[in-house]
Amino acid sequence: MNGSVIFKYANPTQFMSLSKAMLPWLLVLTVASFGIGLYGGLWVAPPDYQQGETVRIMFVHVPASWMAMAAYSFMALASLVGMVWKHPLADVAAKSAAPIGACFTFLALVTGSLWGKPMWGAWWVWDARLTSMLVLFFLYLGYIAIWQTIEEPIKAGRVAAILAMVGFVNIPIIKFSVDWWNTLHQPASILRADGPAIYISILWPLLVMILSFTLLFSVLLLVAMRSEVIRRRIRSIRMAKIEGFG
Amino acid sequence: MLAQLFGEDANIGFIVVSYGITFTVLGALCLYLALDLNKQWRILRALEKETGKQRWK
């Protein structure tokens, strides 16, 4: 990776002006995408021949699950960049992604459970896919707890980065759990070697909803990162003020 | 309206609760992050005024 490209946007002031310009456009795109996705998912898509109307839960469950894993992958990558290249915004990005990813994981677990009860007859089973998703939720909580308990940001960033990178091993486990173990959870339906196993009238709203969740993640991440950059500026002004008195 | 959407499906409650929880959680997260950003700006502006530092954009 080219170091100069990484550091080009390392300046928090440049990030603040760039994110300020991007946010309104991203917000409009997110709302429009949700509008199309929800229309397709709730009105256009037909009931599934096996699941009936319950298939509509998939339009929120699948995007939430994908974003839960994508947010964690992003967090692990940002942590790696922060550790290796000491990019000043990498820690900010990783820290900001954690609560958003935790919310998506929570939603994936809850909506999965709400789908499981009418389809499997159980709210929860200790299935490999479900259990590894629960582990992901605990990893997010652990990561957030580290930032909350260690006051010094550089030290907190390092400890949290190690957890994020070590915890990344759980992502392929979640993805391939349905292939490696005999699970109640169905195998992959979209990312398959022989193409998606879903009929187009259900697939397109699902893909639009995945795009909507991705756009929402981008918006929320930028907002959270802006807060964190300002928080750090407040901290540095306060430190300078204390040193000035000393 | 719900019956028009989903017909007489017995699992309509599960669908409504799923969508309800999803958009409540996402809405709450949006609100929390927006309020936090606003709060940080206000603290920064007050601090800049107090210390005589130039306004940061």
Side-chain angles (χ1 to χ4, degrees), chain A residues 23-92:
Chain A
L23 269 171
W25 296 103
L26 272 174
L27 198 61
V28 170
L29 273 175
T30 307
V31 173
S33 182
F34 263 111
I36 298 167
L38 286 173
Y39 175 72
L42 295 176
W43 275 271
V44 180
D48 183 72
Y49 79 105
Q50 277 182 320
Q51 302 173 44
E53 299 289 352
T54 316
V55 73
R56 300 191 196 283
I57 296 175
M58 289 296 116
F59 298 118
V60 285
H61 172 71
V62 175
S65 309
W66 275 34
M67 285 320 298
M69 290 194 287
Y72 196 90
S73 305
F74 172 84
M75 219 172 77
L77 183 68
S79 300
L80 180 72
V81 171
M83 287 281 267
V84 177
W85 287 283
K86 311 274 181 254
H87 190 301
L89 283 178
D91 267 359
V92 171

Side-chain angles (χ1 to χ4, degrees), chain A residues 6 8-9 20 29 34 60-61 69 96 108 118 132 136 167 176 187 194 228:
Chain A
I6 291 171
K8 193 179 169 189
Y9 298 104
K20 191 181 176 184
L29 273 175
F34 263 111
V60 285
H61 172 71
M69 290 194 287
S96 306
S132 51
L136 182 70
F176 297 109
D194 53 347
E228 185 58 26

Side-chain angles (χ1 to χ4, degrees), chain A residues 16 28 32 61 71 90 109 125 131 144 158 167 176 178 193 228 234 237:
Chain A
M16 290 301 275
V28 170
H61 172 71
L109 289 168
V125 282
T131 309
I144 295 166
R158 268 190 209 146
F176 297 109
V178 285
E228 185 58 26
I234 292 167
I237 294 174

